[in-house]
Amino acid sequence: MKRLFDILFSLTALIILSPLMIMTAIAVKISSRGSVLYWSERIGKDGQLFFMPKFRTMCPTTPKLATAEIDTPSQYITGRTGSFLRKTSIDELPQFFSVLTGDMSVVGPRPVIRTERHLLRMRREKGINALLPGVTGWAQINGRDNVTTKDKVRLDEEYLHNQSLLFDMFIIALTTKRFLWDSSVRH
């Protein structure tokens, strides 16, 4: 049921958001050198690697680390366009293609990169790595990068034990609200 929901939701989102995604691609191409999309190597379900697309908001020379692990990430952001896309989370929209391919779900724990070993270990210990990573999730709407790793894992575990279509729809509704009306909070 969840897979069917993911496919239908992603197709609908991609159709509805296609004008915004086309405008975003043009803005990225005009505002900086390099490709429109950035393919980030991420850890998915059961520790499997996959490549997750995002609109590129940072220079091609940016170190391949989590943004929080870069000393001065702002020096790598591609000006106003990159800042706007990150603040509004529009850079995340291509991830709906990863949902269609089955690498991600609409709702689940956010996929992480290899260097986030502590988070990966804690998730593995709690069984969270058995879930497909999500475009949005319970930890994202409860603080995202403003919560500790321990709290992220606690929220991801809470989602693991309480997941349902109704809970997913609640998380999507809160994410949509924040995306549309509170871009100061990244979802």
Side-chain angles (χ1 to χ4, degrees), residues 93-116:
L93 295 179
Q95 292 168 31
F96 285 115
F97 289 109
S98 290
V99 176
L100 289 179
T101 63
D103 290 326
M104 293 178 70
S105 180
V106 175
V107 179
R110 285 294 293 161
V112 296
I113 63 174
R114 288 183 194 207
T115 59
E116 296 177 277

Side-chain angles (χ1 to χ4, degrees), residues 42-134:
R42 299 294 174 127
I43 307 294
K45 182 179 178 186
D46 299 324
Q48 296 296 311
L49 291 176
F50 73 101
F51 288 89
M52 180 185 80
K54 299 175 81 168
F55 284 116
R56 188 176 53 76
T57 60
M58 299 183 101
C59 300
T61 57
T62 305
K64 302 231 183 281
L65 300 168
T67 304
E69 296 174 333
I70 299 172
D71 288 334
T72 52
S74 59
Q75 77 179 12
Y76 296 103
I77 294 175
T78 57
R80 287 188 216 169
T81 300
S83 293
F84 176 77
L85 295 178
R86 292 172 72 84
K87 181 179 179 182
T88 59
S89 293
I90 291 172
D91 62 325
E92 311 278 356
L93 295 179
Q95 292 168 31
F96 285 115
F97 289 109
S98 290
V99 176
L100 289 179
T101 63
D103 290 326
M104 293 178 70
S105 180
V106 175
V107 179
R110 285 294 293 161
V112 296
I113 63 174
R114 288 183 194 207
T115 59
E116 296 177 277
R117 289 182 179 90
H118 182 61
L119 176 59
L120 287 166
R121 183 184 52 75
M122 291 175 70
R123 281 182 170 180
R124 196 170 34 254
E125 289 170 0
K126 299 290 186 180
I128 296 162
N129 65 337
L131 297 172
L132 276 173

